Amino acid sequence: MIPAEVDLLRQALARTGERRLIWLEGHEANCITRTEPLLGEAVFWLGDGPACHGPLPAAKALQRLGQECDTLVFNAFSGFHPDAFGALAGTLRAGGLLLLLTPPRETWPAYPDPDRLRLVAQPEDAKLAGHGFIDRLVRLLTGDPALSLNPPVGGEPWCPLDASRPLSTDQARALPAIHKVLHGHRRRPLVLSADRGRGKSALLGLASADLLRQDPGLQIVVTAPSQATVATLFAHASAALADTPERLAGLTYVSPDRAAQGDVQADLLLVDEAAAIPTPLLEAILAHHSRIVFATTEHGYEGTGRGFHLRFKRVLDRQTPDWQELHLAEPIRWSRHDPLEPLIFRLLGLNADIVAPAPPKAPSWRRLEQEALAGDEALLNRVFGLLVLAHYQTSPSDLRYLLESPDLDIHLLEQDKELLGVALVAREGNIAPALAHDIWAGRRRPRGHLLPQSLLAHAGFITAGERTYARVMRIAIHPALHRLGLGSLLLAQLETHYRTQGYDYLGSAFSASPDVLPFWLKGGLTVLRIGLQRDAASGSHAALLLKPLKAELDSELAQWRRRFVSQLPTLLAGELKGLDPELVWLCLRGNAAAEAPDLDEFQYQELMCFAHHHKPFELCQASLQRWLACRLTVLDELLPDERRLLIAPIWQYVPWAELAKTLGVAGKPALIKLLRSLLARLLGKPTPMA
């Protein structure tokens, strides 16, 4: 196209509020040259390109969020990163052109795409990755209306936002609703839901500015999966308060795990991208704050809102039944007639969906080949839709991993043609001895092989590298079919399959919580490690579990388990002192004792003196620690609050005031009285003194 034709196309697209994708195929240098007559004034360039255009790698795509462009160049020769593609597509305004640079469509799937390096453990393994994701892109791009270069004709002109119309109809309706959350009745949260590009974050920023302008003393706290996520919100608040910038001091960001604690003081809490925050953390946030606005993206590159709708709205119904919801449907940067957004949705699986199946009578299991999945768009939408529904952080990059990872197995649970569940399993292990030793020694940390690397580097199990593992990455059962035993059935099928395949261990690693861990323990897996750091998004520690698939490995697992159990009390006094005592108990279940000597007569009498008389707790704590390490089975007989009463002060050094507040008692004296009574019951009657 000559520049005059490009200008006419842009003008026609701007009039109707549409955008287009131009697919430039060929050699990279030639494709870059062909972009020149197509470029507009505001150019975002992702991937390699001329320095004058400020090209960014995919890893820095988020830096552009909240900004707008009229030309987006996506150089797929530098790697097709699905999340970056989805994120940047939303910055392209009406009249804009998305220029996609690729090898010829016939050879593109086999092109050595640098993004495939994310799918493999070693760079040399990239050639083993499949081509299903790119094959599918080629198929979907071919002939799509968004690629038409015919200027649109007819239709009503699109009315963008400007000084005469600063807010969309949806935004104008939602703004007073945000004010009402602050000034109206307590415990009436507002949920703002929207697809990307509807001005949701901008609205939160403008509302914050409005409120701070009215009352400079307000404390408005914002939380989101990361601080980068809320850059748009803060930018709009800052622009709206340009004449009084000091009032921005009333608007602060905290991480989700901080917001879930009781020490964050906020007159109003704004939760942006709520769908990308785990439900247990949202529950804690809801419990600690009485005036909250939750904003969630229904189809997002960093996760999805459909799981949020299913899971968290049930929590809202139960805890705050007067909650409100507003949906923002009107796009801000383009019109409802734009063909590019639906294409992006299709390419990245953002519109993948699945209907609730009927309760099954005779579920069947099968392993699905990646090639078969890539070639069946209807099945792919059901599989990916279920994964999106089940996990708060499923993203478009997971779609590429699903279709191209060379070390991934896909397992389906079905009733006839209805999809009931999906399991994703990564094949790991059999690490070369020299590399395994370097990992164990802390000199190397290659990509992939999560289970053996963690066992080598963190747990110090030197033989872990030579074993083979089937790591269950996801088990997703449709939420309408929970508590029917289908997850356990699918896990049992996986165990049988990988035992037949000759694998050494079945395992998993995930953000642990007392409501999730029992599922894995029921399946016979054993906890071997708890991560020392909390995940900032989930607020949980990671747990690693294994189950041997060969009888000769039972003794090895038992040895690893003894090491974990003996080490745990020490960690509970330090890095793991904030671990939920119920989670501690679940990790220790099934163990008679740690490797600790039994109590001697002096220690026994000391405990009896504490339980039945008045010996101070602090002087008995060392003996109490040894007793509990030798009597782990007593925890199985207790109620949750009783387990907390033992674990929290004895091992975790939890402050008495904090524990009293948790258990709802008056203070330390009341706690000590309860602890003495519990110990007296567990120890039995005192032995008469000679």
Side-chain angles (χ1 to χ4, degrees), residues 167 170-172 174-175 178 192 199-208 328:
L167 298 174
D170 290 338
Q171 287 178 316
L175 189 59
I178 297 174
L192 297 176
K200 171 174 53 59
S201 295
L203 174 64
L204 293 179
L206 294 171
S208 299
L328 280 61

Side-chain angles (χ1 to χ4, degrees), residues 529-534 541-542 564 567-581 584 647 651-652 654:
R529 184 173 177 267
I530 295 291
L532 299 184
Q533 303 296 323
R534 289 181 184 268
H541 294 265
F564 165 73
Q567 189 184 45
L568 187 58
T570 301
L571 296 175
L572 291 172
E575 286 84 350
L576 297 182
K577 71 179 304 175
L579 198 66
D580 187 336
V584 174
I647 294 170
W651 275 342
Q652 297 181 292
V654 173

